[in-house]
């Protein structure tokens, strides 16, 4: 049956390509709307390529506009993102963009500034089809998934910053322990469906592109200062200077908090982050026949956080969900990130351009955390069954209620010391062509990428003595020392052809991957392999009327195998379908899209964050055939009120179901003993986000409600037993802004108004809460 389903999927791909090859096109009947669909809002789009999304030249660009990013509109001047007037209004709230095929949405500047989230999980809750798994309550380590793709460390989506891969090692070790700070972003664009093949390497779920503030068109300054609960603090500074053919912008962010968890011994549980970035560009004069622009960027970021993987027993969580055991008092993560980038753009005409980006990223982290005893290495099992046999003794020591009295009662503090390099060069060509009544929007790109991961793990042992950890006599042990690297050449081409009421899109991505792995301790054999994969995709949009459109699409999903995977582990592979309808009017935007991900092989990737033991870190497992399907509804409207008030309303709804197609036993902790029709873990059936804001000239007040249903910690079916359940959660966030004058404002936010705390995760070790009620008071100035 599985092979038959996939033959049908490939046949549909072939039909789409055949239709696109012979199709002719015409200008569209409607243009996509921006975040809140006000009549005068400019149309914008998610970035179309592997290169950064710089959709128009700077203010010193030639008078002729570059190619429009929305292929459904006839050629016309594009709003300039670097214009001082246009830049502050790139998007208002949730933007359902219209480049067919597929579900694409973005969160614009106004929505980001309205809620003042520092946690990317909270920001992305406003987009249908996106799942997150809370871990520390602050979003320090992003766990993002889409359309059934596992959220663990965002390893199975394509995570980008301005169109460039930003995970520490996207092919070799994609687990995202780093993400750009939300406060310095101007937009977060999410791409799902067939359009995702433009990015990669991961194409099953889609891509998240975190876009920085564009270079302004004139001299400017910006300051954002805030304080709040648990000694939260934020300082965000930005300054720019502009000339006719050059510009420079510098930015600095500092975030800190004392944390909301309480260690039994009163130790630190907070974090501090710093991020600095400088961007400069030079460009051709406006009279140049060929417009060129060279941009250079350098950035540095670091973090020190007293975070842990150790949660609580269910009984302790019910009593004090913010508690942390004394055994985790030494847990700490430190990391630093260096990023360098050079971007060159060449515009041949109003309809053709080429953009090339060279990038180099370095990320180093060391996370020391308690994760076992000499005599009990299964911390997950210990906290799930604290009264079973000898677990009673280990639990008493971990919680500081008893002292270590034997060698097997020494706590193991493992330090994962990792260094990553990610670098490459990518080039994208975009053009529009017309042939009579036919118009084509063509994107072609190529990327040569190399990344590597140097992994080490050290283990030290400690005794618990009167609630304090003291170093044991056992010498430090090196238990992991490996080196892995990947070289990947990727290329893609996509053509959107318009004819009358039809839009045909066909695309093809090719990935050629070579990797090597070496275990320097000799526990596993060295290996070097290479393979290639072809990823087609395409879709059709039919404009029923000027406001109503129907769409359908299909593409092949792919997630590469990690170099550390054992022989016999296959890449993740699926055929993904979607179909739905769109409605656009000056006051309402509505998308309803159904999706199906038909996996030939689902792949489980082991990290300590997913609950794997240290000996499994980096291992991968085949999960066989899996079916995931669901419905996404994304809608926004603006309700005009009397006396100049208006009320924008946004809705994001996701319904999801999943099913393993066979029974098997797996060593992957999230699967275990799988029976046919078991559901995937951490995939809630229902998610709803509803937000609104009463807007006036000098002030606004807003509210955002998020609800997600319960989910499983381990694959299963039927009612979820309490010991394997991540609870349902409803939170309400409030915000208020008062504009003192045109360039200055005060803001106040309250997250989790009703102070609801539930078990949102049991991985890797024990029950973990969402963040409690938190307040934030801030000031913003622009000059």
């Amino acid at each position: 049956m599985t092979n038959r389903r996939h033959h049908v999927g490939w046949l549909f791909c072939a039909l789409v390509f055949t239709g696109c090859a012979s199709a002719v096109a015409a200008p569209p009947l409607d243009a996509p709307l921006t975040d809140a669909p006000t009549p005068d809002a400019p149309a914008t789009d998610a970035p179309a390529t592997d290169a950064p999304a710089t959709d128009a030249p700077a203010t010193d660009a030639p008078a002729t506009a570059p190619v429009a990013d929305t292929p459904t509109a006839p050629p016309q001047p594009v709003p300039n993102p670097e214009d001082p007037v246009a830049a502050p209004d790139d998007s208002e709230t949730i933007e359902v963009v219209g480049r067919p095929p597929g579900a694409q949405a973005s969160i614009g500047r106004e929505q980001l500034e309205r809620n003042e989230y520092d946690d990317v999980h909270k920001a992305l809750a406003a987009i249908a089809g996106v799942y997150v798994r809370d871990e520390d309550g602050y979003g320090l380590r992003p766990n993002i998934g889409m359309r059934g793709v596992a959220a663990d460390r965002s390893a199975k989506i394509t995570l980008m910053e301005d169109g460039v891969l930003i995970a520490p090692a996207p092919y070799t070790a994609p687990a995202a322990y780093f993400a750009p700070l939300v406060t310095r972003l101007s937009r977060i664009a999410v791409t799902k469906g067939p359009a995702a093949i433009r990015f990669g390497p991961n194409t099953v779920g889609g891509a998240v592109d975190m876009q920085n503030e564009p270079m302004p068109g004139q001299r400017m300054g910006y300051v954002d200062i805030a304080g709040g609960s648990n000694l939260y603090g934020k300082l965000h500074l930005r300054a720019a200077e502009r000339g006719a053919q050059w510009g420079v912008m510098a930015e600095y962010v500092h975030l800190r908090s004392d944390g909301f968890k309480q260690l039994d011994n009163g130790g630190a549980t907070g974090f501090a982050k710093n991020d600095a970035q400088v961007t400069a560009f030079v460009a051709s004069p406006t009279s140049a026949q060929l417009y060129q622009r060279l941009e250079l960027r350098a950035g540095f970021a670091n973090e020190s956080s007293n975070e842990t993987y150790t949660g609580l027993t269910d009984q302790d969580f019910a009593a004090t969900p913010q508690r942390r055991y004394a055994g985790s008092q030494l847990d700490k993560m430190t990391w630093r990130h260096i990023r360098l980038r050079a971007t060159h753009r060449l515009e041949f005409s109003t309809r053709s351009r080429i953009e090339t980006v060279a990038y180099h990223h370095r990320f180093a982290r060391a996370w020391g955390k308690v994760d076992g005893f000499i005599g009990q290495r299964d911390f997950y099992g210990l906290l799930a069954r604290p009264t079973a046999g000898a677990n009673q003794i280990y639990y008493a020591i971990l919680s500081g209620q008893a002292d270590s009295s034997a060698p097997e009662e020494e706590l193991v503090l493992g330090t994962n010391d990792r260094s990553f390099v990610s670098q490459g060069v990518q080039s994208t060509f975009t053009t529009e062509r017309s042939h009579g009544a036919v118009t084509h929007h063509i994107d072609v790109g190529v990327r040569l990428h190399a990344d590597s991961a140097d992994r080490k793990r050290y283990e030290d042992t400690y005794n618990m003595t009167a609630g304090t950890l003291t170093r044991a006599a056992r010498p430090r042990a090196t238990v992991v020392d490996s080196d892995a690297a990947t070289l990947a050449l990727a290329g893609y081409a996509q053509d959107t052809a318009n004819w009358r009421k039809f839009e045909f899109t066909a695309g093809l991505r090719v990935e050629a991957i070579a990797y090597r792995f070496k275990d320097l301790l000799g526990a596993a054999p060295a290996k070097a392999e290479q393979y290639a994969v072809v990823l087609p995709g395409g879709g059709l949009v039919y404009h029923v009327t000027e406001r109503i459109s129907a769409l359908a699409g299909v593409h092949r999903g792919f997630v590469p195998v990690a170099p550390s995977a054992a022989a016999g582990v296959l890449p993740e592979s699926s055929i993904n379908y979607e179909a739905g309808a769109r409605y656009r009017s000056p006051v309402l935007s509505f998308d309803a899209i159904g999706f199906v991900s038909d996996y030939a092989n689902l792949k489980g990737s082991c990290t300590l964050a997913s609950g794997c033991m240290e000996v499994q870190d980096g291992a991968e497992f085949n999960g066989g055939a899996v079916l995931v399907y669901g419905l996404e509804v994304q809608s926004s409207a603006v309700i005009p009120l009397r006396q100049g008030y208006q009320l924008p309303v946004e809705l994001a709804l996701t319904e999801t179901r999943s099913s393993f197609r066979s029974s098997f036993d797996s060593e992957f902790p999230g699967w275990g003993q799988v029976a046919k029709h078991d559901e995937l873990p951490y995939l809630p059936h229902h998610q709803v986000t509803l937000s609104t804001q009463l807007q006036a000239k000098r002030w606004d007040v807003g509210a955002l409600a998020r609800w997600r249903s319960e989910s499983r910690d381990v694959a299963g079916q039927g009612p979820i037993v309490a010991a394997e359940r991540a609870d349902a959660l409803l939170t309400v966030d409030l915000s208020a802004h008062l504009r003192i004058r045109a360039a200055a404002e005060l803001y106040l936010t309250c997250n989790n108004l009703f102070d609801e705390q539930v078990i949102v995760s049991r991985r890797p070790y024990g029950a973990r809460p969402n963040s409690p009620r938190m307040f934030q008071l801030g000031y913003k100035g622009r000059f």
Side-chain angles (χ1 to χ4, degrees), residues 250-322:
E251 190 168 17
Y252 171 74
V253 180
H254 174 74
L255 294 177
R256 59 96 55 210
S257 173
D258 276 359
F260 63 84
K261 295 181 181 177
Q262 303 296 321
L263 261 167
D264 287 344
N265 71 337
T269 64
F271 70 90
K273 304 179 74 148
N274 296 282
D275 192 296
Q277 182 168 282
V278 177
T279 304
F281 85 92
V282 293
S284 304
T286 56
S287 58
Q289 185 175 3
L290 286 179
Y291 176 77
Q292 297 188 66
R293 187 175 190 270
L294 176 64
E295 180 180 284
L296 303 177
R297 180 189 301 176
F300 173 82
N302 64 10
E303 175 187 304
S304 176
S305 55
N306 300 292
E307 276 299 334
T308 183
Y309 274 171
T310 304
L312 302 170
T313 67
D314 282 20
Q315 184 177 1
D316 289 338
F317 187 98
T320 52
Q322 298 179 28

Side-chain angles (χ1 to χ4, degrees), residues 22-364:
S22 59
V24 288
L29 295 176
D30 60 352
L33 297 173
T34 54
D35 292 352
T38 51
D40 56 349
T44 55
D45 198 0
T49 67
D50 280 325
T54 50
D55 294 340
T59 52
D60 51 358
T64 53
V67 63
D69 260 342
T70 306
T72 59
Q76 57 182 312
V78 178
N80 191 342
E82 295 174 358
D83 186 280
V85 175
D89 192 30
D90 66 337
S91 55
E92 185 178 357
T93 52
I94 305 302
E95 179 178 1
V96 183
V97 296
R99 164 166 289 191
Q104 302 175 63
S106 71
I107 305 169
R109 179 186 289 104
E110 184 171 322
Q111 176 80 337
L112 293 171
E113 293 194 9
R114 177 199 301 179
N115 297 308
E116 296 297 336
Y117 292 139
D118 296 318
D119 185 345
V120 68
H121 294 156
K122 291 184 174 67
L124 286 172
I127 294 185
V130 176
Y131 316 89
V132 300
R133 183 163 69 87
D134 296 329
E135 181 176 324
D136 50 64
Y138 290 102
L140 300 179
R141 259 53 88 191
N143 294 292
I144 306 167
M146 295 184 210
R147 294 187 169 180
V149 169
D152 293 337
R153 286 289 179 269
S154 310
K156 290 189 177 183
I157 66 169
T158 298
L159 198 62
M160 300 179 293
E161 181 179 21
D162 290 332
V164 173
L165 299 176
I166 197 60
Y171 287 80
T172 303
Y177 289 81
F178 166 83
L181 295 179
V182 176
T183 188
R184 66 176 172 84
L185 301 179
S186 66
R187 176 174 167 156
I188 303 175
V190 176
T191 303
K192 297 166 287 183
I197 66 169
R198 290 177 291 140
F199 305 108
N202 305 327
T203 62
V204 175
V208 174
D209 189 11
M210 302 183 182
Q211 300 175 15
N212 283 277
E213 184 73 13
M215 184 75 68
Q218 61 186 8
R219 176 187 296 175
M220 62 81 68
Y222 173 83
V223 59
D224 182 1
I225 303 174
S229 304
N230 304 309
L231 291 182
Y232 167 86
K234 173 171 67 174
L235 174 62
H236 184 184
L237 304 173
R238 183 188 297 129
E241 180 62 271
R242 277 296 303 262
Q245 296 170 227
W246 61 274
V248 61
M249 181 168 66
E251 190 168 17
Y252 171 74
V253 180
H254 174 74
L255 294 177
R256 59 96 55 210
S257 173
D258 276 359
F260 63 84
K261 295 181 181 177
Q262 303 296 321
L263 261 167
D264 287 344
N265 71 337
T269 64
F271 70 90
K273 304 179 74 148
N274 296 282
D275 192 296
Q277 182 168 282
V278 177
T279 304
F281 85 92
V282 293
S284 304
T286 56
S287 58
Q289 185 175 3
L290 286 179
Y291 176 77
Q292 297 188 66
R293 187 175 190 270
L294 176 64
E295 180 180 284
L296 303 177
R297 180 189 301 176
F300 173 82
N302 64 10
E303 175 187 304
S304 176
S305 55
N306 300 292
E307 276 299 334
T308 183
Y309 274 171
T310 304
L312 302 170
T313 67
D314 282 20
Q315 184 177 1
D316 289 338
F317 187 98
T320 52
Q322 298 179 28
R323 179 185 178 187
R324 261 183 60 179
Y325 296 134
S328 67
Q329 62 191 256
L330 298 180
D331 292 10
K332 187 173 185 177
M333 157 79 92
T334 59
W335 60 252
R336 65 183 183 276
H337 186 269
I338 297 172
R339 53 190 183 273
L340 301 171
R341 183 178 305 184
T343 303
H344 178 260
R345 187 171 67 208
L346 176 63
E347 297 183 359
F348 302 100
S349 68
T350 59
R351 297 191 174 196
S352 300
R353 69 175 180 225
I354 188 168
E355 186 167 85
T356 302
V357 184
Y359 57 93
H360 178 86
H361 303 152
R362 288 182 177 270
F363 181 69

